[in-house]
Amino acid sequence: MRIPAILAALAFTTLAPAAPLLAKVKLAASTPAAGAKAKSPKTVTLTFSEKVNPAKATAAIIMTAMPGMPNHGEMPIRNFTPSWSADGKTLTLTLKKPLPTGTYDLRWQAAGADGQAMSGKVSFDVG
Ligand SMILES: [Cu+2]
């Protein structure tokens, strides 16, 4: 069951205190948000809790399901261009074509000031 895990993740994000110095980097926000249903997004963003090292950051958009395909498997979406905000906290993935209807995992890895690579994922739907 996925919804309680998503709610727990949201609660954690909301209740987490301000990051102390050299805290592990974590995801502060994303668009689409975890559990959201988006309409044909053409950009996907990840905002981290602190400035991250762009050279050590990765992001992948994986389509995990789509209507009418029971055994879809994992399908990486590669037609995007990454760019960073001036403050180094937000990564924007600009897609050449809007995401089609389906279910997606947005997987990330990033390291902040402490150099430790952290990772996570955001699951959302498009339709
Ligand atoms: Cu697909």
Side-chain angles (χ1 to χ4, degrees):
M1 179 114 186
R2 297 172 64 174
I3 289 171
I6 289 166
L7 291 177
L10 288 173
F12 179 80
T13 302
T14 306
L15 298 175
L21 205 61
L22 298 186
K24 292 175 175 58
V25 67
K26 62 180 193 274
L27 192 68
S30 69
T31 57
K37 185 158 193 167
K39 280 216 183 312
S40 308
K42 223 192 153 192
T43 59
V44 169
T45 68
L46 291 163
T47 298
F48 296 99
S49 54
E50 61 176 291
K51 179 178 171 29
V52 302
N53 179 351
K56 286 189 175 176
T58 62
I61 305 171
I62 312 291
M63 191 190 215
T64 57
M66 70 190 292
M69 276 194 71
N71 301 307
H72 186 274
E74 299 204 335
M75 175 184 155
I77 304 292
R78 301 188 199 278
N79 60 343
F80 63 80
T81 306
S83 61
W84 286 92
S85 63
D87 66 6
K89 290 183 175 182
T90 299
L91 174 60
T92 299
L93 310 179
T94 303
L95 291 137
K96 291 200 179 71
K97 288 188 248 171
L99 290 176
T101 297
T103 302
Y104 295 85
D105 277 354
L106 175 57
R107 296 180 190 159
W108 61 269
Q109 185 173 324
D114 70 354
Q116 187 177 346
M118 303 299 287
S119 62
K121 75 168 181 178
V122 174
S123 299
F124 62 87
D125 289 305
V126 171

